[in-house]
Amino acid sequence: MAKTYGPLIWLQLGSTPVVIVSSADAAREIMKTHDIIFSNRPFTSVLDRIFYGSKDVVFSPYGEHWRMMKSICVLHLLSSKQGGFGKDIWVSAHGTPDCKGHNTFFVGNYFPSFTWMDRLSGLLREADEIFKESDDLFEGVIEEHVNKKDFGIKGHDLVDILLEIQKDKSTGFELERYMIKAIILVTFI
């Protein structure tokens, strides 16, 4: 399509405008002059349900909350040796890792007046069930770390770091429990 229409293509997907950039030079220019506009992710009802009201570092709108979450992830988590954490959580909950996944088209994200179709098809209920299952799993993981001595857990991992940050009031940012779960979820995925 880029050969026919050029490096920038504008599409209207329902009520959502989409710009497709197929050239590195065009992408560089856009990010240089309009980076804040393009740094936000589009709002979707399903991601908002699953990712704690879009309060994680991936789907949170650009702003102070996003900057603080990014800072926590970059300074405390990505600089640490936390590899394998997501796999450990999955194995403790389900046995062996399973990478099954599928993409689902949610009509309401592109045609808001047709959100009822997502409800009727059961997709929103399924998203709520996925959220509940993962929230329960992460709540259990956090509780195990809060009560490490009772569970015989040794070592220092991502959850321990997040709980330490939560206790540290010097940052001026209150890391709430659901935010800890959101970071764990993003790290897990």
Side-chain angles (χ1 to χ4, degrees):
M1 280 183 24
K3 290 180 183 178
T4 305
Y5 298 107
L8 295 174
I9 300 171
W10 180 79
L11 298 173
Q12 186 73 30
L13 299 177
S15 63
T16 306
V18 177
V19 176
I20 299 172
V21 181
S22 59
S23 150
D25 291 334
R28 194 174 304 110
E29 189 61 31
I30 287 171
M31 295 311 290
K32 187 185 335 175
T33 57
H34 303 291
D35 62 332
I36 291 177
I37 294 168
F38 287 98
S39 65
N40 276 331
R41 275 73 169 177
F43 173 83
T44 68
S45 58
V46 174
L47 294 177
D48 194 60
R49 279 175 149 80
I50 295 173
F51 287 91
Y52 296 90
S54 300
K55 295 294 185 189
D56 63 305
V57 71
V58 176
F59 298 105
S60 179
Y62 181 79
E64 188 59 29
H65 176 82
W66 176 82
R67 280 192 292 280
M68 291 305 292
M69 293 293 277
K70 177 186 167 217
S71 174
I72 289 169
C73 289
V74 170
L75 295 176
H76 300 285
L77 305 180
L78 296 179
S79 63
S80 300
K81 302 271 189 261
Q82 301 303 331
F85 176 76
K87 180 182 173 197
D88 294 344
I89 289 177
W90 184 268
V91 170
S92 70
H94 295 82
T96 56
D98 184 3
C99 298
K100 284 188 257 178
H102 60 279
N103 294 322
T104 304
F105 180 76
F106 288 84
V107 176
N109 290 337
Y110 299 99
F111 303 97
S113 60
F114 290 103
T115 300
W116 61 269
M117 292 177 73
D118 295 335
R119 226 180 316 287
L120 185 65
S121 69
L123 292 175
L124 295 181
R125 186 187 77 255
E126 185 178 337
D128 289 339
E129 289 170 1
I130 290 169
F131 170 77
K132 174 82 172 96
E133 184 178 327
S134 65
D135 186 66
D136 289 347
L137 171 65
F138 300 141
E139 183 64 32
V141 169
I142 291 171
E143 277 302 310
E144 285 178 3
H145 282 73
V146 166
N147 302 306
K148 268 184 143 177
K149 292 176 188 168
D150 297 341
F151 287 96
I153 297 173
K154 296 179 182 176
H156 193 75
D157 64 14
L158 172 126
V159 178
D160 296 314
I161 293 169
L162 292 171
L163 290 170
E164 288 169 5
I165 293 168
Q166 184 182 41
K167 289 178 187 173
D168 180 12
K169 303 297 181 194
S170 67
T171 63
F173 179 74
E174 188 173 340
L175 185 64
E176 297 182 37
R177 197 165 186 119
Y178 76 90
M179 293 176 194
I180 292 174
K181 293 177 194 177
I183 292 172
I184 294 170
L185 177 59
V186 168
T187 304
F188 178 63
I189 291 174

